[in-house]
Amino acid sequence: MYKILIVEDDSGIASAVAAQIESWGMEARIIRDFRNIPGEFAQYSPHLVLMDISLPFMNGYHWCREIRSVSRVPIIFISSASDNMNIIMAMNMGADDFIAKPFDSQVLIAKIQALLRRTYDFSENVPVLSAHGAMLNTADGTFSYEGSQISLSKNEYRILLVLMQNKGKVVSREKLMEALWQTDAFVDENALTVNVGRLRRKLEAAGLQGFIETKFGLGYLIPEG
């Protein structure tokens, strides 16, 4: 089910848009904390964002730029400020489309569905995986936490990818070794331990304490939360 994050401070408009989205079989969430839009984005991990321009504290351009720094998720601006300058500004900040208020709800849904098809029909993977405020962007291979990117080696990226795809589940050492080396040839298990240890040190240095848990005799786990 596609998840749509609605960044709109007019509760009437936000509720009406959410109801329309849900009537078409998608999931919708309205932003609650306009000071922490990146945090709610990371926690929800939506497939598409609807963004107003005029918002409390910081405008939609600012938040669009913040989201674009960590994700390629589609963003549609919805705004009554629909002059050419605002439309150009939105596109320059990384928006994928712009809809002027007042808008026809059927047109909005059609634009959402078209953008979702173009973005996801050729990929089964959710583009951004999140856990404990950290985000792994599978489109460009970047990993970020609290606005800062954490450099990963190829093996470290693969470890995080498998663990975050299975968040809340124990992943066996055998499955991780298969993901890392993709071969039937014998690989010393100590090589996996070394890679996980190196990754943990990077995560801890960035403030992600206990991000990866060891389940002795079973494997590794990124807990829910």
Side-chain angles (χ1 to χ4, degrees), residues 69-194:
S69 70
V70 297
S71 172
R72 295 180 184 176
V73 67
I75 298 174
I76 299 177
F77 269 90
I78 49 173
S79 177
S80 55
S82 57
D83 56 277
N84 287 345
M85 184 57 68
N86 277 294
I87 294 172
I88 291 169
M89 184 79 162
M91 295 306 175
N92 286 341
M93 289 296 162
D96 296 277
D97 207 340
F98 192 108
I99 301 177
K101 296 178 185 175
F103 49 80
D104 184 292
S105 60
Q106 298 297 319
V107 172
L108 175 62
I109 293 298
K111 283 181 172 285
I112 289 172
Q113 290 177 328
L115 193 47
L116 289 171
R117 281 196 302 272
R118 289 201 302 271
T119 307
Y120 301 113
D121 268 4
F122 300 104
S123 174
E124 297 179 356
N125 296 321
V126 176
V128 179
L129 302 170
S130 63
H132 308 284
M135 292 184 287
L136 183 68
N137 189 331
T138 62
D140 58 15
T142 58
F143 183 68
S144 60
Y145 178 63
E146 294 186 342
S148 298
Q149 284 195 8
I150 301 168
S151 176
L152 300 174
S153 69
K154 180 175 68 175
N155 281 349
E156 289 163 354
Y157 170 80
R158 288 177 176 173
I159 290 169
L160 276 179
L161 178 63
V162 174
L163 291 176
M164 292 180 77
Q165 284 175 332
N166 294 275
K167 185 172 65 173
K169 302 175 183 176
V170 177
V171 178
S172 69
R173 291 178 61 86
E174 290 75 19
K175 183 171 182 178
L176 280 174
M177 290 173 69
E178 181 182 336
L180 261 60
W181 290 286
Q182 300 172 346
T183 176
D184 292 331
F186 175 76
V187 177
D188 187 349
E189 282 200 29
N190 187 55
L192 175 61
T193 303
V194 169

